[in-house]
Amino acid sequence: MKYLIFATLCMLLLSFIKGAIGKLHPIISIIFFFLFFAQIFALVLYPLFSELVTITQVIPYSKLLAYTALLLLLSHLVKSILEEQEYDAFSQGVDIAIRGSLVLIWLQQLKPAMTQLTDLLHRFS
């Protein structure tokens, strides 16, 4: 509930800033967004994902799945804020970088399993 109140207060303050100092509105709104997201990340998202990881420890790659979901959520938020400020090419670059790094992380984690599968397939052929 406090996040809803905080978001409402930020919205009202940003509306006031937009009317009073229109040229500074984009910069201040980005600052508010990252402050709000940092608070949500530290108090809600990080404990949620760490709890999910501890609950699903027996499931293979559960930590990697939670990490992937968190990075994709972060990528989506940053991409939308950049697109709102009309930096579409930069937002696509951020999206490609996050997805590429996730593929690289998954390949590194799955490399031992893929080598075992390849060895097994070579034995049967």
Side-chain angles (χ1 to χ4, degrees):
M1 185 67 180
K2 67 180 179 179
Y3 302 111
L4 182 63
I5 294 170
F6 181 74
T8 306
L9 288 175
C10 284
M11 184 185 69
L12 290 172
L13 186 60
L14 285 171
S15 295
F16 174 71
I17 290 171
K18 189 174 185 177
I21 323 166
K23 292 183 179 182
L24 288 178
H25 179 261
I27 295 169
I28 295 172
S29 67
I30 291 172
I31 291 170
F32 274 30
F33 167 75
F34 281 110
L35 288 174
F36 183 67
F37 182 72
Q39 184 180 15
I40 295 293
F41 181 80
L43 299 176
V44 176
L45 290 178
Y46 184 74
L48 172 71
F49 279 96
S50 60
E51 185 67 25
L52 280 173
V53 167
T54 56
I55 288 172
T56 60
Q57 258 180 344
V58 295
I59 300 172
Y61 306 111
S62 64
K63 186 176 184 179
L64 198 56
L65 284 170
Y67 179 67
T68 300
L70 187 63
L71 272 181
L72 286 175
L73 175 68
L74 178 64
S75 170
H76 177 70
L77 289 173
V78 170
K79 186 178 174 183
S80 65
I81 211 74
L82 286 171
E83 286 175 352
E84 181 181 310
Q85 298 299 324
E86 298 176 359
Y87 293 114
D88 294 330
F90 193 57
S91 72
Q92 290 296 325
V94 167
D95 193 42
I96 289 170
I98 294 289
R99 290 174 191 256
S101 63
L102 284 174
V103 167
L104 185 63
I105 291 169
W106 273 96
L107 284 177
Q108 289 172 351
Q109 292 295 318
L110 292 175
K111 188 176 182 179
M114 291 192 315
T115 56
Q116 287 178 353
L117 179 65
T118 315
D119 290 341
L120 185 64
L121 288 174
H122 282 306
R123 289 182 192 166
F124 286 129
S125 62

